[in-house]
Amino acid sequence: MKTTATTLLSLSLALIASAAEVKVELTGNDQMQFSTKAIEAKVGDKLLITFKNIGKLPVVAMGHNVVIVKAGTELPAFAMKCMTEKDNNYITKDETLAKAVIAHSKVLGPGESEVVTFEAKEAGVYPYLCTFPGHFAVMNGTITVK
Ligand SMILES: [Cu+2]
């Protein structure tokens, strides 16, 4: 009996581990580079993405955010609408486009960081980008959920 209980315990621990919180480190720098352009996750994972601006330039010149959007979002159109929204962390207020946002950080200055949570509910390819004006074409990547 004791063995069965132990086995059951290990099994449930394994289940918990398979749909776990996954910590991801992501940085942005003064060269407008994300440290990674490809993040992978499993359905059920909860990603805790620590996004840090490791640059030195002031936030008005080289601020960064990370915005995770729905699969299939047209990034250029989305980014164009975001880049004018300085007072809204460069997130569009257009109701239709704003629905594409799954999660985002605020605009971070040098040395600042923020944890962004992304729950990988469905398989798919979820783009992420920095919507600070002029950055998205270089600062983008994907979270692939399998
Ligand atoms: Cu940026």
Side-chain angles (χ1 to χ4, degrees):
M1 272 315 277
K2 197 171 184 192
T3 316
T4 313
T6 312
T7 310
L8 279 174
L9 182 63
S10 334
L11 270 176
S12 38
L13 284 176
L15 281 173
I16 292 166
S18 71
E21 290 191 342
V22 180
K23 290 200 164 86
V24 178
E25 305 283 328
L26 180 67
T27 62
N29 64 18
D30 287 344
Q31 285 71 48
M32 274 196 271
Q33 299 288 334
F34 276 135
S35 52
T36 178
K37 292 181 78 104
I39 295 170
E40 299 204 342
K42 293 196 292 286
V43 172
D45 283 352
K46 184 179 189 179
L47 300 189
L48 301 175
I49 303 167
T50 302
F51 176 55
K52 184 172 187 184
N53 180 345
I54 56 168
K56 299 244 189 308
L57 294 171
V59 65
V60 289
M62 188 57 73
H64 301 298
N65 64 7
V66 61
V67 184
I68 304 166
V69 294
K70 288 182 181 165
T73 303
E74 290 290 333
L75 292 194
F78 177 80
M80 286 293 279
K81 284 285 187 182
C82 287
M83 60 184 278
T84 54
E85 299 291 348
K86 185 173 191 293
D87 297 333
N88 197 40
N89 285 301
Y90 294 109
I91 302 296
T92 179
K93 287 177 186 155
D94 178 285
E95 281 186 26
T96 310
L97 279 173
K99 282 185 191 142
V101 177
I102 297 173
H104 73 88
S105 73
K106 56 186 192 302
V107 173
L108 303 176
E112 292 183 317
S113 67
E114 184 178 337
V115 178
V116 176
T117 304
F118 173 78
E119 293 191 42
K121 291 178 185 157
E122 272 182 68
V125 178
Y126 300 85
Y128 61 89
L129 69 158
C130 171
T131 57
F132 192 93
H135 289 197
F136 94 93
V138 182
M139 294 188 79
N140 63 74
T142 53
I143 301 173
T144 302
V145 179
K146 287 180 182 167

